[in-house]
């Protein structure tokens, strides 16, 4: 018998159900504590998994209870939400998505895994793979943005980064692909609300990243809190057992979200905790997080004949196998056994600064307002987010809650030692009090430029942080109008820096600011990274992974809608348009300026006729006509001119980067396998359809900036 068979042969039912239970934990003055229970449950073997424990010492102390004092000595699986860093916080995932850089996505996950594993952890509840086209939804901050093809790339990179090449390594964590599936299109952008979408949208937009994560070897998957077309995901047999386990062959661990099994009662599909436990187990959920439904409900269900011991054993076996793959049986203390050297931590901080500076998106830069001139003598640094270091961390800080983060003001002080920095918040982030505006406006007199630091509080994004009006909160709009009016009278530029976990609706600011930056929440090194961009030490290279709406009424909005029989035509009343705002976004998907100025020419697509097994080579020439070196991100899109079902007007199929010195020219070549031009036909099965396909290349999804060439699939 192998190890798992030997253990299972000795296990009692309570011990088996303990392996299917995950409970929150912490550390008090008196020692480790368990939410709603005691550490005796670990010794008894009735709790086999923990979350939210932080620190190698406390983690190992908990592990000793399981390994050295319990009857069977089965190690604990201990996890934590490491969404964008453990102690060293990187930019939020939405900001990282705008890097369009597979290597950096993987590297930040690898560093987060190393840091978390160094504190004894073996699991993270990441990556979050929920496509969002609705910035009202707070968890937009945690995900990849609006595009499914981009999400596939991120899924692969993050799984590789967290898990490495050897899951048993002391530097690897089990990744968890969440939230399965289609959590993003919740009704009205409201957290936890119902989801009702078509099967086509499910399969084309929301499932591909989870398929990619499974193929990349992801160890665990977490179902969403929400229901999908009337069936809560925690009890969704067709998708969990049918698609995920059956079609995709996933044999890893499915772990519920926090209390999600018990919430099947409130969904109205379970009468009590016994019902809920039966539904979840039958759907294939292995670990019950915080509902205590399996420990309390499954013994009753087993006695009633509603579940079998074989079904319970199958889940126990998967949990034990994961612990074995993580190396916990061989050495439960290997993670956190050796403190990280100071040099490794310092290098991680340097990476955090580099990634943060690259994630900044330059949305607007009239008359080359940025970078700031070297001779700048005085800056008015105004706004509630100018000196707000805590807000820079974003909504998921992991173990970094009490770690330092650099504010904009602190970053500028370090970078501009000879520049006078005048600071006033003007208003609070979300207060109705505008009594400080006059003081802030007065700082403009005698300044060379104004830095206006505006946006959301970090907790306005993330879980349970939906906003019906994702605009500037409080009296920040009034502050912006007053400061901008004074600055323009004085003839000095206004540089607006926006902090948020989502695209904001800011048409006035976009029109009146001379320069506009989307700084998201950049993590530990936020202030230094922003100073790097403002001073020109770094040319901004971030791109928008989501379309920025002009008005709330445009939401949900994305770059690839399907065509209509009556496309927008200003000259024809009966076409698909708004009466009060343009159809187009304020800033398109992929938008982002640099300190260079790139022109595109010489688009070449070879061969002009291609078969399914062949590969297209798409090349485009670029020239940097600007005065500074910069890196351009080039996007490759496709559009089928004729198909059996309506196809998106644009579909992302690739991207590449090219750095050029001033006046230099170069080219990029992207390879596009013709098989990637397949689509889901009327029966939702892959279809390669002969016909004309338009290949488009440019700096964003903005139609006017795209070069086009038609090829034929044959």
């Amino acid at each position: 018998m192998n190890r798992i068979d030997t253990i299972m042969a000795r296990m009692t039912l309570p011990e088996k159900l303990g392996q299917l239970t995950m409970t929150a934990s912490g550390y008090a003055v008196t020692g480790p504590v368990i939410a709603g229970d005691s550490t005796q449950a670990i010794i008894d073997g009735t709790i086999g998994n923990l979350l939210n424990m932080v620190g190698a010492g406390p983690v190992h102390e908990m592990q000793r209870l399981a390994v050295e004092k319990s009857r069977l000595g089965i190690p604990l699986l201990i996890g934590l939400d490491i969404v964008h860093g453990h102690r060293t916080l990187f930019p939020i995932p939405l900001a990282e998505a705008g890097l369009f850089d597979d290597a950096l996505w993987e590297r930040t996950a690898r560093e987060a895994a190393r840091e978390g594993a160094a504190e004894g952890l073996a699991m993270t509840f990441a990556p979050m793979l929920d496509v969002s086209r609705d910035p009202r939804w707070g968890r937009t901050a945690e995900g990849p943005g609006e595009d499914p093809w981009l999400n596939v790339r991120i899924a692969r990179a993050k799984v590789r980064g967290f898990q490495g090449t050897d899951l048993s390594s002391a530097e690897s964590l089990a990744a968890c692909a969440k939230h399965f599936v289609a959590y993003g299109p919740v009704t009205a952008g409201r957290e936890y609300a119902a989801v009702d979408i078509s099967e086509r949208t499910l399969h084309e937009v929301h499932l591909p990243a989870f398929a990619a994560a499974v193929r990349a070897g992801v160890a665990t998957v977490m179902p969403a809190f929400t229901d999908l077309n009337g069936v809560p995901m925690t009890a969704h047999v067709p998708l969990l057992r049918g698609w995920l386990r059956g079609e995709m062959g996933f044999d890893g661990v499915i772990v519920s979200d926090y209390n999600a099994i018990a919430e099947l009662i409130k969904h109205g599909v379970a009468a009590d905790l016994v019902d809920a436990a039966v539904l979840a187990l039958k759907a294939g959920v292995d670990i019950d997080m915080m509902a205590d439904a399996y420990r309390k409900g499954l013994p009753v269900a087993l006695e009633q004949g509603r579940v079998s011991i074989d079904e319970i054993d199958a889940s126990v076996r998967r949990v034990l196998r994961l612990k074995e793959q993580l190396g916990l049986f061989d050495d439960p203390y290997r993670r956190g056994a050796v403190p990280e050297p100071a040099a490794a931590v310092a290098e991680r901080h340097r990476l955090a600064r580099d990634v943060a500076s690259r994630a900044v998106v330059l949305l607007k830069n009239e008359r080359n307002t940025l970078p700031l001139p070297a001779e700048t003598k005085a800056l008015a640094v105004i706004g509630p987010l100018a000196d707000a270091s805590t807000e820079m961390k974003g909504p998921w800080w992991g173990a970094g809650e009490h770690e330092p983060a650099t504010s904009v003001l602190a970053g500028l002080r370090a970078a501009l030692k000879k520049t006078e920095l005048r600071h006033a918040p003007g208003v609070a982030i979300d207060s109705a009090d505008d009594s400080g505006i006059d003081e802030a406006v007065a700082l403009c007199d005698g300044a060379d430029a104004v830095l206006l630091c505006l946006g959301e509080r970090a907790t306005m994004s993330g879980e349970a942080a939906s906003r019906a009006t994702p605009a500037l909160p409080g009296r920040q709009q009034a502050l912006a109008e007053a400061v901008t009016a004074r600055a323009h009278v004085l003839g000095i530029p206004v540089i607006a820096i926006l902090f948020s976990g989502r695209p904001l609706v800011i048409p006035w600011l976009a029109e009146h600011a001379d320069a506009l930056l989307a700084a998201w929440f950049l993590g530990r090194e936020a202030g230094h990274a922003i100073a790097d961009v403002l001073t020109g030490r770094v040319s901004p290279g971030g791109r928008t992974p989501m379309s920025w709406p002009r008005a709330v009424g445009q939401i949900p909005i994305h770059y690839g809608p399907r065509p209509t029989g009556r496309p927008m035509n200003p000259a024809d009343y009966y076409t698909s348009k708004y009466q009060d705002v343009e159809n187009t976004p304020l800033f398109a998907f992929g938008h982002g300026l640099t300190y260079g100025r790139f022109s595109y020419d010489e688009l070449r697509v070879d061969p002009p006729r291609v078969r399914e097994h062949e590969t297209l080579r798409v090349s485009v020439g670029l020239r940097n006509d600007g005065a500074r070196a910069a890196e351009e991100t080039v996007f490759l899109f496709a559009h089928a001119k004729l198909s059996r079902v309506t196809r998106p007007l644009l579909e992302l199929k690739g991207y590449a980067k090219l750095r050029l010195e001033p006046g230099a020219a170069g080219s990029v070549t992207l390879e596009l396998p013709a098989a990637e031009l397949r689509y889901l036909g009327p029966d939702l099965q892959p279809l390669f359809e002969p016909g004309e396909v338009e290949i488009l290349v440019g700096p964003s999804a903005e139609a006017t900036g795209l070069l086009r060439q038609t090829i034929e699939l044959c």
Side-chain angles (χ1 to χ4, degrees):
M1 297 174 70
N2 62 32
R3 174 160 46 197
I4 293 176
D5 290 335
T6 301
I7 292 172
M8 291 193 65
R10 299 178 60 203
M11 295 179 81
T12 64
L13 179 62
E15 288 169 333
K16 288 178 179 180
L17 298 182
Q19 292 303 306
L20 307 186
T21 299
M22 178 173 274
T23 306
S25 56
Y27 205 80
V29 175
T30 55
V33 293
I34 301 293
D37 212 313
S38 73
T39 54
Q40 184 62 40
I42 296 175
I43 297 172
D44 294 341
T46 58
I47 290 179
N49 313 283
L50 300 177
L51 72 154
N52 295 351
M53 180 62 70
V54 175
V59 166
H60 286 173
E61 188 171 343
M62 285 290 204
Q63 197 67 272
R64 282 188 198 95
L65 296 178
V67 173
E68 300 176 21
K69 294 191 176 183
S70 72
R71 186 176 75 91
L72 298 176
I74 301 172
L76 296 167
L77 172 64
I78 303 177
L80 181 73
D81 282 287
I82 301 177
V83 176
H84 56 102
H86 181 60
R87 292 194 185 276
T88 301
L89 295 178
F90 296 101
I92 59 171
L94 184 65
E96 264 207 4
L99 296 170
F100 289 92
D101 192 318
D102 301 58
L104 280 180
W105 294 328
E106 181 174 346
R107 189 176 174 198
T108 57
R110 182 93 288 264
E111 288 302 313
R114 287 185 175 124
E115 194 166 59
E119 295 206 338
L121 297 170
M123 180 183 187
T124 174
F125 305 109
M128 198 271 243
L129 302 176
D130 299 311
V131 170
S132 174
R133 294 170 171 179
D134 191 335
R136 294 173 299 181
W137 187 50
R139 298 196 88 158
T140 293
E142 301 172 38
E146 71 182 52
D147 186 72
W149 190 91
L150 173 64
N151 199 9
V152 164
R153 300 290 288 262
I154 292 173
R156 293 170 184 160
K158 290 301 181 183
V159 171
R160 289 194 305 264
F162 284 129
Q163 297 190 171
T165 57
D166 178 6
L167 198 56
S168 68
S169 165
E171 296 185 336
S172 292
L173 300 179
C176 181
K178 68 180 189 183
H179 305 88
F180 186 85
V181 58
Y183 192 7
V186 284
T187 301
R190 194 175 64 250
E191 179 75 359
Y192 313 126
V195 175
D196 198 338
I197 59 172
S198 71
E199 283 295 306
R200 179 166 298 280
T201 297
L202 173 66
H203 284 269
E204 290 184 350
V205 176
H206 299 285
L207 282 173
F210 289 94
V214 171
R215 293 186 182 110
V218 72
T220 72
V221 172
M222 178 182 287
F225 282 120
T226 42
D227 79 65
L228 177 62
N229 302 337
V231 182
M233 283 309 312
T234 306
H236 207 303
V237 173
L239 281 170
L240 291 178
R241 282 207 181 272
W243 186 87
L244 183 61
R245 292 221 187 273
E247 187 174 334
M248 292 305 304
F250 178 69
D251 197 29
V253 169
I254 298 178
V255 54
S256 84
D257 211 332
Y258 200 101
N259 197 44
I261 296 179
E263 289 169 17
L264 293 174
I265 301 170
K266 292 185 178 179
H267 274 289
V269 298
D272 52 29
L273 208 58
V274 177
D275 267 0
V278 170
L279 287 171
L281 187 72
K282 292 284 188 182
V285 176
D286 299 310
I287 292 180
D288 167 14
M289 181 193 289
M290 284 304 294
D292 219 9
Y294 282 180
R295 286 201 300 175
K296 293 178 178 178
L298 288 182
V300 177
L302 188 64
E303 185 177 335
Q304 294 173 343
R306 298 171 65 187
V307 299
S308 69
I309 194 64
D310 288 344
E311 289 172 310
I312 293 172
D313 284 353
S315 287
V316 174
R317 188 176 296 277
R318 282 190 286 264
V319 174
L320 293 177
R321 186 169 65 242
L322 174 59
K323 292 182 177 184
E324 188 172 57
Q325 290 167 342
L326 285 163
L328 293 172
F329 283 105
D330 296 326
D331 183 359
Y333 309 114
R334 70 175 57 178
R335 292 174 179 84
V338 180
E340 286 198 294
V345 176
E347 178 56 33
R348 187 171 299 128
H349 294 170
R350 284 191 289 271
L351 175 65
R353 178 169 178 168
D354 178 50
V355 173
S357 65
R358 294 182 186 216
V360 174
V361 183
L362 181 58
L363 297 169
K364 178 183 179 182
N365 194 22
E366 293 292 320
R367 298 178 298 280
N368 294 320
T369 297
L370 290 176
L372 294 169
E375 62 273 15
T376 299
K377 295 180 180 178
L379 287 174
V381 186
I382 296 170
L385 284 136
D387 195 21
S389 59
T390 298
E391 308 302 337
M392 300 297 103
K393 298 178 183 181
W396 273 114
W397 46 72
E401 180 179 4
H402 303 295
E403 297 293 312
T406 307
S407 70
V408 176
L409 195 60
L412 290 170
R413 283 173 177 154
L416 299 172
K417 298 184 183 300
K418 296 182 179 180
T419 301
E420 178 190 355
L421 300 175
R422 309 169 178 181
H423 168 245
V427 297
I429 292 175
D430 52 357
S431 170
D433 182 7
D434 57 10
S435 60
I437 290 180
D438 289 344
E439 177 190 358
V441 170
L443 297 185
C444 298
D445 291 16
D448 296 309
V450 174
L451 298 180
L452 199 51
C453 302
L454 307 171
E456 299 181 315
R457 189 181 305 283
T459 52
M460 288 179 174
S461 293
E463 186 173 354
S466 296
R467 296 184 63 205
T469 307
L472 292 175
R475 296 290 290 161
Q476 292 186 59
Q477 179 70 29
L479 173 67
E481 291 176 5
V483 168
T484 300
R486 182 58 182 166
H488 287 171
V489 166
L490 296 170
I492 60 174
V494 173
I495 300 148
I497 308 172
L498 289 174
F499 298 90
S500 66
R502 48 164 64 86
L504 295 177
V505 181
I506 40 90
W508 186 93
L509 192 64
E511 179 181 353
H512 291 88
D514 299 283
L516 183 62
L517 294 168
W520 315 107
F521 295 115
L522 295 174
R524 174 194 171 90
E525 299 294 322
H528 294 308
I530 291 166
D532 288 342
V533 170
L534 292 175
T535 60
R537 179 178 177 272
V538 173
S539 175
R543 300 300 184 99
T544 53
M546 288 182 71
S547 306
W548 284 54
R550 298 177 185 274
V552 174
Q554 291 180 300
I555 298 171
I557 185 171
H558 60 101
Y559 77 87
R562 299 182 191 278
T564 169
R566 295 189 175 188
M568 182 188 68
N569 181 355
D572 187 345
Y573 185 82
Y574 294 101
T575 57
S576 182
K577 63 183 183 299
Y578 296 105
Q579 291 188 339
D580 54 350
V581 71
E582 296 178 35
N583 283 13
T584 57
L586 184 65
F587 299 110
F589 173 89
H591 175 75
L593 307 175
T594 71
Y595 291 154
R597 191 174 72 253
F598 289 86
S599 58
Y600 286 64
D601 61 14
E602 301 181 59
L603 176 62
R604 298 183 300 277
V605 184
D606 297 309
R609 302 178 75 249
V610 62
R611 295 179 176 83
E612 184 174 6
H613 64 276
E614 296 177 327
T615 296
L616 289 167
R617 289 177 56 84
V618 182
S619 300
V620 65
L622 289 90
R623 177 179 293 277
N624 182 2
D625 298 317
R628 290 176 174 266
E631 184 177 67
E632 178 77 338
T633 302
V634 180
F635 294 98
L636 168 63
F637 300 96
H639 170 59
K641 290 191 170 184
L642 184 66
S643 54
R644 293 174 63 189
V645 298
T646 59
R647 302 285 298 281
L649 294 173
L650 285 178
E651 295 180 72
L652 182 64
K653 296 297 180 183
Y655 46 77
K657 292 178 179 291
L658 180 64
R659 181 176 177 81
L660 291 175
E661 296 295 319
S667 65
V668 297
T669 299
L670 297 100
E671 292 192 346
L672 175 58
E676 288 199 17
L677 296 174
R678 291 180 299 177
Y679 70 100
L680 298 183
D683 57 358
L684 293 180
Q685 295 302 308
L687 176 64
F688 186 83
E689 191 171 29
E692 290 187 335
V693 173
E694 199 171 29
I695 301 299
L696 308 96
V697 172
S700 74
E702 172 59 49
T704 57
L706 292 170
L707 301 177
R708 304 160 186 262
Q709 186 169 321
T710 299
I711 57 106
E712 184 178 355
L713 302 183
C714 55

